[in-house]
Amino acid sequence: EEIEFWRRRCINMSGISEQIDKPGVQRIKAVLEAAKSSYLAQFTHWALKIKDGMARAESNLRFLSILKDSFDRLTSSP
């Protein structure tokens, strides 16, 4: 089911996003910045993709949940 897919996606992306926000990971990012590391661009790119993916999953889940309520009412009508 589509709603379950986006619900799982939300949970997964949220978990990854929380890990990125942890102090240890932020310290690693600071070291990459201080070292002007070539890995910083990739780290930043993927961190933003994860945040965007989480926002997309949340948006899709909200939208589909609204539709599901309406659809359930329509299909349960005699």
Side-chain angles (χ1 to χ4, degrees):
E1 177 174 286
E2 192 74 12
I3 290 175
E4 190 55 35
F5 168 82
W6 288 108
R7 183 174 287 119
R8 283 191 312 274
R9 181 78 170 216
C10 236
I11 291 167
N12 292 339
M13 297 301 267
S14 177
I16 296 169
S17 182
E18 287 173 10
Q19 290 178 28
I20 289 171
D21 292 337
K22 286 187 173 185
V25 176
Q26 291 304 306
R27 282 193 297 274
I28 292 169
K29 182 181 176 192
V31 169
L32 293 174
E33 288 170 344
K36 295 182 176 24
S37 172
S38 61
Y39 293 106
L40 180 61
Q42 283 296 325
F43 177 88
T44 303
H45 169 79
W46 287 107
L48 289 173
K49 295 278 275 181
I50 289 165
K51 299 283 185 184
D52 289 345
M54 187 177 75
R56 178 179 174 209
E58 288 172 343
S59 176
N60 286 348
L61 184 58
R62 274 193 307 274
F63 176 73
L64 290 171
S65 294
I66 291 167
L67 289 180
K68 183 180 184 323
D69 291 342
S70 297
F71 182 75
D72 288 345
R73 282 194 302 266
L74 285 173
T75 58
S76 66
S77 298

